[in-house]
Amino acid sequence: MNCKPVIVVHGGAWAIPDCLAESSTDGVKSAAQQGFLVLKHGGSSLQAVESAVRILEDNPAFDAGHGAVLNADGKVELDAIIMDGRNLSVGSVSCIKNIANPITFARSVLEKTPHAMLTGEGANAFAEKMSIPTVPTKELVTEHAIKEWEQYQKYNQSVTTLFNTEKAHDTVGAVAMDSEGNVACATSTGGITNKMVGRTGDSPIIGSGGYADNFVGAVSTTGHGESIMKVTLARHVLFNIERGKSPKDAADQALDYMYNRVHGRGGLIVVSKTGEWSASFTTKRMAWAGIDGGVLSYGLNPGEHFQVSLDNIR
Ligand code: GLY
């Protein structure tokens, strides 16, 4: 098969403040470019989404890896998922500590264990065995994350209330289709500020934070994890596509359903098995970028869709 490669990334659906708007947009654009280079050089969609998400995890503007938000104890606990649409193999990790690139660790779970998901101490022990690099927690924590955490502590606001008023920092992800027509997804997060210790959100949950199936497409989601899990948002979008909707209509309907049914807001990116893709959100903003056919598209605010040619990218 010789398909046109596609990659789409997001940097989290939330009320991104103006001070993070430029870095968020620049961050998703460079992650999409990195992922696209992998595809352009013949890499698989699985390699491309891992590579793009690593860039986002390394960027402190985003809630994943460096820049992750803090839990109720002021600590970092990370979740991630990666899924291969060829055979539905999946690796996910939850409540892990001291790992700067959870997505690469999730890929080790996919490739080197008979399991789909590892959590907590057991996961960290396996990471050590796999020689996954660790970092001290303080290296993952940004000033912005500390300020956000202090605000939550001071006003004693519940995470649910804050998310529904669109003030929660959130998650990164990527979906891709390679030249063989294989799709993959990857999602990585620090979760939501002030979450209970041990809380696992939607991101590492198969069918909620992400799903990839060559027969339909691939999705990565972002937003209020408890709401996303209740409606299995990623699989819900693919179900809509299976019933004949376009990726955009499938995404918009699933997000509307989540809002109407459980009052949860969020966003998602999706690529279908035919290479059509969409980025949608019901929060104030979501930084996203997508590349196909030599064109980089990106946006941040509702309805925005800027385009630039990739002619100069090698
Ligand atoms: N969407 C990320 C989380 O709720 O954990």
Side-chain angles (χ1 to χ4, degrees), residues 229-244:
M229 285 190 274
K230 286 174 190 165
V231 301
T232 54
L233 185 62
R235 196 64 191 80
H236 191 126
V237 175
L238 295 182
F239 176 70
N240 282 343
I241 292 177
E242 284 169 324
R243 286 167 39 125

Side-chain angles (χ1 to χ4, degrees), residues 79 163 170-171 189 191-192 199 201-203 222-226 228:
D79 300 335
F163 224 102
D170 200 57
T171 312
T189 191
I192 46 184
R199 177 263 190 191
D202 60 297
S203 301
T222 160
H224 182 230
E226 282 68 15
I228 292 173

Side-chain angles (χ1 to χ4, degrees), residues 14-21 23-24 59-64 66-70 138 140-152 166-170 193-194:
W14 62 294
I16 299 165
D18 290 341
C19 65
L20 286 178
S23 54
S24 299
N59 186 331
F62 301 113
D63 172 20
H66 292 95
V69 300
L70 308 181
K138 64 176 185 335
L140 300 176
V141 176
T142 59
E143 280 300 310
H144 187 89
I146 293 170
K147 276 198 192 126
E148 211 169 74
W149 181 76
E150 284 171 350
Q151 200 189 359
Y152 276 68
E166 308 176 334
K167 283 186 187 149
H169 208 152
D170 200 57
T193 299
N194 212 33

